[in-house]
Each structure stands twice: as structure tokens, then as C-alpha cells.
């Protein structure tokens, strides 16, 4: 059975004291007025009164001590609240740190993916520069500076190059027919050196070979009718430049 | 120390009803007319004691229960202190301020 609360006990003792003191006073007053001899009952009540009074004082002392303990408990409760607040603050900071770290890890993973992807399709800079010179030399990306209408050097991409590009794929153009209407294309294609035939890592083999018409593959090896020495010299000069610049890049 | 003890004795005397009961018995013996006044004093004293008890802090529980609560609170403070100390000794987080 749980111990009774001190307040309850104090009030109970106080009630007892009130009842006992009233009984004692009434008894004494009655015995005085009626001149009756005291039968010793008042002594018993007096003893009880003294006992209860002592209990009351003891309990009051206990109550005061509990009051002091209560003050200490209030201080401790404030301390606990302060610690809780500190812990919550720390938890908030940890959450923020977690969020920042998660973002950083995600970005790092993305970068690693890009690095892996770049490593898988790595292209040597030398090859890239060679190819750049080659397509420049063939006037596939821009016309020669002194180009005029009637100049057999072409200021436009060849039909094969157009078809191997993205637009050619989208349109899914038929491979026959168009070629015949563009004599300059064959001319220019004939002018391309044989080194264009090998595949580069960034070129899709399907595109470059698959898009080539079956009868068109030999055109590369043919000497074109409009072939002139001047153009060849120019190409040679560019090739030399590219190889020298490639060497420089190393 | 002596002052504290004197105050404690005074407080004990203050909450005792025996002096007032003694005064009343004396009045009955002497058949004094002051008995009504003494009776009123006793009644007032009991009423004051009731109010004092009602306003005393921390006596809604028994001393044993209160000691348990105190021990529990001390334990909580100790545990939370340890936890904070542990977190603080781990590492510091510097959160960049949003510009």
C-alpha cells in the first residue's frame, strides 16, 4: 500500500487535534459547572492531545523538509529543460549537416558517373586535332577564303556527311538518287584522303558505314574528274600542319 | 546555526496548539470571562494551520515518493549531461550561413 501524502496526514492530525481539544474543553467545562469529580477520562484525552500535537509538529517539520526538496526539484527540472533544449538544438544542427552531406554525396556520385562515362569513351587529343584538320582541309565546314561560284572546291558538306549526321538519320533519306544529282559531292568525296576511312572512337560505325550506299564505297578510291593539283597541295599543306600541331600538342 | 535552530523551535512552537489549550483550561479553572476570546484564538489558530498546510509546497506526495522523483530527476540531468558531452566531444559542425 502506498504511503499517504504528507498533506493528507497533516490535515488528519489537525482534525484529530480539533476534535480532542473540543472534547477536553467541553469535558472540563462540564465537570466544573456540575462539580463532578474527573473520572480520568480527561487525562486520556489530554495524553492523546499531546501525542497528536507532537505528531503535528513532526509532520510539519517533514513538510518543511519536503518544501526544501521541492525547491531542489524545481531547479533540477529547469536544468532538464535546458538540457532538452540543447539536445534539440544539436539535433537540428545534425539534421542540417546530414542534408548538406547528402547533397554533397549525390553531387559527388554524379561527378563520378560523368568521369566514368568520360573514361569509357576517351578520345586522344591528337586524334581529335587530326580530325579537325581533316574536316577543315576538305572544306566541309567552311568554304575556302577565295571561293567563288564555279570553284569546284565545295563550300558545303558532302551528301555522305549530311546523311551520316543527325538530320540524315531523322529524315531517313533514301540512299539512291540524291547522289547522282550532286557531281560536286563525288568530286569532293574523291578529294578526301584515304585516311578518312578509318573509324574514330566518337563515330558510330553504323552511321558512317551503314549510311554509305553500296556502290558509293569505291568512290573514295577513285580519282575524281575535277581533281586538280592546287587543291591537293592545299590539303597536303593542311595535313602537314595538323600533324605538326599534333606533335606540338604532345 | 544557532539562529536557524531558534527559528526552527519558534516555528515548532508556532504550530503547536497546546499553549492555547492550556490557556483555555486556565480560564475554565479561574472561571474567567476571557474564555471566549481564548476559544476564538484556538479556532483561528486551527484555521491558520489548515491554510498553512494547504499552501505548503511539495507535500502532495509522501517523502519516499518525493525522494524517488528527486532521484529520477538527478538521473535525467546526469544522463542528458553525459549525452551532450558525448556529442560535443565527437566533432563540430559548421553550418554555412545562407547568403
Amino acid at each position: 500500500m502506498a504511503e499517504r501524502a504528507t498533506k493528507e496526514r497533516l490535515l488528519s492530525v489537525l482534525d484529530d487535534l480539533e476534535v480532542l481539544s473540543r472534547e477536553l474543553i467541553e469535558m472540563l467545562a462540564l465537570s466544573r459547572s456540575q462539580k463532578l469529580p474527573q473520572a480520568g477520562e480527561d487525562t486520556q484525552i489530554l495524553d492523546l492531545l499531546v501525542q497528536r500535537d507532537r505528531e503535528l509538529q513532526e509532520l510539519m517539520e517533514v513538510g518543511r523538509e519536503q518544501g526544501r526538496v521541492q525547491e531542489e526539484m524545481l531547479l533540477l527540472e529547469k536544468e532538464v529543460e535546458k538540457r532538452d533544449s540543447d539536445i534539440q538544438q544539436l539535433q537540428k544542427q545534425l539534421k542540417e549537416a546530414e542534408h548538406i552531406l547528402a547533397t554533397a554525396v549525390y553531387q559527388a556520385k554524379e561527378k563520378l558517373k560523368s568521369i566514368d562515362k568520360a573514361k569509357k569513351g576517351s578520345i586522344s587529343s591528337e586524334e581529335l586535332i587530326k580530325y579537325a584538320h581533316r574536316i577543315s582541309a576538305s572544306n566541309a565546314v567552311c568554304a575556302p577564303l577565295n571561293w567563288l561560284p564555279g570553284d569546284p572546291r565545295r563550300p558545303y558538306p558532302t551528301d555522305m556527311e549530311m546523311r551520316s549526321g543527325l538530320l540524315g538519320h531523322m529524315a531517313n533519306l533514301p540512299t539512291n538518287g540524291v547522289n547522282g544529282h550532286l557531281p560536286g559531292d563525288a568530286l569532293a568525296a574523291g578529294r578526301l584522303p584515304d585516311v578518312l576511312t578509318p573509324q574514330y572512337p566518337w563515330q558510330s560505325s553504323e552511321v558512317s558505314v551503314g549510311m554509305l550506299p553500296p556502290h558509293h564505297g569505291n568512290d573514295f578510291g577513285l580519282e575524281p574528274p575535277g581533281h586538280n593539283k592546287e587543291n591537293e597541295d592545299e590539303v597536303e599543306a593542311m595535313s602537314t600542319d595538323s600533324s605538326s600541331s599534333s606533335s606540338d600538342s604532345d | 546555526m544557532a539562529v536557524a535552530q531558534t527559528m526552527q523551535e519558534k516555528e515548532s512552537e508556532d504550530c503547536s496548539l497546546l499553549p492555547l489549550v492550556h490557556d483555555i483550561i486556565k480560564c475554565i479553572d479561574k472561571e474567567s470571562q476571557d474564555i471566549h476570546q481564548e476559544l476564538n484564538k484556538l479556532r483561528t489558530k486551527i484555521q491558520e494551520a489548515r491554510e498553512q498546510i494547504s499552501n505548503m509546497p511539495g507535500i502532495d506526495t509522501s517523502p519516499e515518493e518525493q525522494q524517488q522523483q528527486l532521484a529520477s530527476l538527478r538521473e535525467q540531468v546526469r544522463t542528458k549531461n553525459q549525452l551532450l558531452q558525448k556529442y560535443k566531444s565527437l566533432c563540430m559542425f559548421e553550418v554555412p550561413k545562407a547568403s
Side-chain angles (χ1 to χ4, degrees):
Chain A
M1 186 181 164
E3 188 98 7
R4 284 164 67 200
T6 311
K7 183 186 268 186
E8 202 181 327
R9 287 171 67 195
L10 270 166
L11 289 172
S12 167
V13 170
L14 197 61
D15 287 345
D16 287 353
L17 272 170
E18 192 180 12
V19 171
L20 287 168
S21 56
R22 188 186 297 148
E23 275 204 24
L24 183 68
I25 292 160
E26 278 177 1
M27 192 177 284
L28 286 172
L30 198 66
S31 64
R32 285 279 180 258
S33 62
Q34 293 180 358
K35 307 287 183 192
L36 292 172
Q38 293 176 5
E41 200 179 342
D42 52 349
T43 318
Q44 281 182 351
I45 294 172
L46 194 60
D47 287 343
L48 272 174
L49 192 71
V50 171
Q51 187 191 335
R52 283 282 185 264
D53 193 76
R54 199 181 300 127
E55 272 182 46
L56 180 73
Q57 289 179 46
E58 284 171 5
L59 280 172
M60 285 299 274
E61 186 49 40
V62 170
R64 283 189 203 101
E65 183 57 34
Q66 280 190 271
R68 283 189 281 272
V69 173
Q70 183 71 14
E71 280 177 23
E72 193 183 347
M73 282 171 70
L74 285 173
L75 286 174
L76 283 171
E77 275 171 9
K78 279 184 187 169
E79 195 81 4
V80 168
E81 277 175 23
K82 194 172 171 294
R83 293 289 176 276
D84 279 343
S85 155
D86 286 351
I87 289 169
Q88 276 177 359
Q89 183 69 21
L90 196 61
Q91 193 182 21
K92 196 180 157 194
Q93 285 181 1
L94 283 169
K95 284 273 177 197
E96 281 177 27
E98 186 194 15
H99 179 71
I100 291 166
L101 285 173
T103 312
V105 166
Y106 174 77
Q107 285 173 353
K109 277 183 180 171
E110 288 296 308
K111 279 185 185 173
L112 281 173
K113 272 185 202 170
S114 303
I115 290 166
D116 281 346
K117 197 177 167 186
K119 274 181 183 170
K120 278 176 190 168
S122 61
I123 302 158
S124 81
S125 55
E126 194 179 341
E127 264 186 293
L128 194 65
I129 291 163
K130 272 184 186 172
Y131 185 72
H133 276 294
R134 242 163 238 142
I135 59 175
S136 305
S138 67
N139 296 321
V141 288
C142 74
L145 289 173
N146 52 357
W147 189 86
L148 288 168
D151 189 337
R153 294 175 300 171
R154 50 182 198 141
Y156 45 81
T158 61
D159 180 44
M160 183 204 73
E161 283 160 352
M162 283 298 285
R163 273 186 276 112
S164 66
L166 192 65
L167 282 171
H169 270 284
M170 285 168 69
N172 198 16
L173 291 169
T175 51
N176 293 329
V178 183
N179 197 35
H181 297 291
L182 295 168
D185 174 33
L187 183 79
R191 236 191 296 136
L192 287 172
D194 291 337
V195 285
L196 192 66
T197 318
Q199 292 301 304
Y200 289 94
W202 60 89
Q203 283 181 317
S204 165
S205 58
E206 300 177 346
V207 173
S208 56
V209 178
M211 290 302 291
L212 207 64
H215 65 276
H216 203 267
N218 295 330
D219 288 354
F220 281 100
L222 293 172
E223 192 72 15
H227 179 261
N228 61 27
K229 190 71 182 169
E230 188 185 320
N231 282 345
E232 192 179 13
D233 291 341
E234 195 176 321
V235 173
E236 282 301 320
M238 291 298 283
S239 300
T240 316
D241 287 349
S242 69
S243 56
S244 63
S245 61
S246 302
S247 309
D248 292 346
S249 67
D250 291 335
Chain B
M1 190 73 182
V3 176
Q5 198 172 355
T6 315
M7 278 182 69
Q8 197 174 338
E9 280 172 9
K10 193 171 178 296
E11 279 177 348
S12 301
E13 281 173 13
D14 280 348
C15 66
S16 174
L17 298 179
L18 289 181
L20 284 173
V21 174
H22 183 248
D23 289 346
I24 292 167
I25 293 169
K26 275 201 292 187
C27 283
I28 291 170
D29 281 342
K30 291 176 188 172
E31 295 181 352
S32 168
Q33 293 301 311
D34 294 339
I35 188 163
H36 295 290
Q37 197 184 337
E38 295 299 327
L39 281 170
N40 274 334
K41 275 186 188 174
L42 180 66
R43 205 173 292 130
T44 310
K45 178 83 178 172
I46 291 170
Q47 192 56 37
E48 280 176 359
R50 279 208 176 92
E51 283 173 14
Q52 191 185 349
I53 290 165
S54 302
N55 294 328
M56 278 173 80
I59 56 168
D60 290 321
T61 54
S62 68
E64 289 76 17
E65 277 180 73
Q66 198 184 28
Q67 285 301 321
Q68 283 175 3
Q69 288 174 3
L70 182 68
S72 163
L73 276 171
R74 279 181 178 151
E75 181 64 21
Q76 276 186 51
V77 173
R78 196 182 62 82
T79 313
K80 285 175 199 287
N81 273 339
Q82 274 184 351
L83 191 67
L84 276 171
Q85 207 58 41
K86 184 182 163 189
Y87 283 149
K88 280 178 184 172
S89 64
L90 280 176
C91 55
M92 292 294 290
F93 294 101
E94 286 180 10
V95 181
K97 300 283 177 197
S99 55

